[in-house]
């Protein structure tokens, strides 16, 4: 219950720092809060041997990030910047479309888990979740960071040709990085995870190979939302998600509506 509140509290300073292209500062913040949360939660894990440690780690990381992000943004002039902002009908409309877009994306991203758990049981669901964690989490980080950087770049251009040039340039590099990541994931699964986990995990690890290919698609798919936002056409994305649907889950990492 506390983590979503902390996330909401960090949205404005996070967006302000992203818009200022303070990516190194944000990365250092994330590294710092992750390290501090692990220093506290790992001893709790050994003392309690319960899920309390994992919950505590997430809670501390989100709370500390919200506090540190506000302090960093304040030093860069966030209070003065907020005084110049106005809301308006356009902002409210886009926020509504963005909310529906990400809610529908999240629901579609969970549909496979709901079906698998219902049909095959919790054991199969656990194996599937392991495969998806190995195959998708690194790629989701690339996809999310690409979408965040693209959102900032598109804020600085106007017109369809300029949007296309900015998007194509960034997506070309992101697609190459995603392809390299797929290869590295497959090699790591074969030569690191298989010997370490043993034969009992053969089937989940076999699923990593096809699942890792989805990285190439999500890198592009997650970037559609910033492009639609830049043209004021996010309602198209909402209609598409509600109608045809997609397999993307565009709100798993830190990306702003």
């Amino acid at each position: 219950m506390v983590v979503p509140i902390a996330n909401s509290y960090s949205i404005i300073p996070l967006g302000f720092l992203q818009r200022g292209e303070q990516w190194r500062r944000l990365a250092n913040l994330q590294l710092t809060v992750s390290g501090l949360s692990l220093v506290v939660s790992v001893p709790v894990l050994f003392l309690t041997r319960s899920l309390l440690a994992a919950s505590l780690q997430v809670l501390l990381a989100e709370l500390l990030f919200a506090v540190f992000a506000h302090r960093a943004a304040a030093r860069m002039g966030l209070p003065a910047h907020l005084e110049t902002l106005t809301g308006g009908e356009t902002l409210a409309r886009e926020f509504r479309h963005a909310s529906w877009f990400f809610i529908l994306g999240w629901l579609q991203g969970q549909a496979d888990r709901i079906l698998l758990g219902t049909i095959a049981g919790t054991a199969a669901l656990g194996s599937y979740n392991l495969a998806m964690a190995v195959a998708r989490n690194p790629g989701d980080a690339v996809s999310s960071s690409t979408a965040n950087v693209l959102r900032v770049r598109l804020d600085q251009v106007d017109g369809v040709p300029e949007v296309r040039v900015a998007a194509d340039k960034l997506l070309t590099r992101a697609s190459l990085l995603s392809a390299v990541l797929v290869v590295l994931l497959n090699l790591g699964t074969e030569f690191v995870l298989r010997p370490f986990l043993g034969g009992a995990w053969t089937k989940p690890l076999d699923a990593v190979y096809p699942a890792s290919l989805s990285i190439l698609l999500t890198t592009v798919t997650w970037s559609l939302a910033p492009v639609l936002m830049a043209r004021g056409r996010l309602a198209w994305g909402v209609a598409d998600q509600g109608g045809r649907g997609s397999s993307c889950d565009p709100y798993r990492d830190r990306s702003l509506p």
Side-chain angles (χ1 to χ4, degrees), residues 138-148 178 215 217-220 222-223:
D140 288 350
V142 174
S143 301
S144 178
S145 60
T146 301
N148 283 334
S178 299
I215 294 174
L217 298 176
T218 55
T219 300
V220 177
W222 289 17
S223 299

Side-chain angles (χ1 to χ4, degrees), residues 36-46 52-54 56-58 60:
L36 291 174
S37 63
L38 288 173
V39 167
V40 176
S41 60
V42 169
V44 173
L45 174 63
F46 287 105
L52 172 65
L56 183 62
Q57 191 274 327
V58 175
L60 287 175

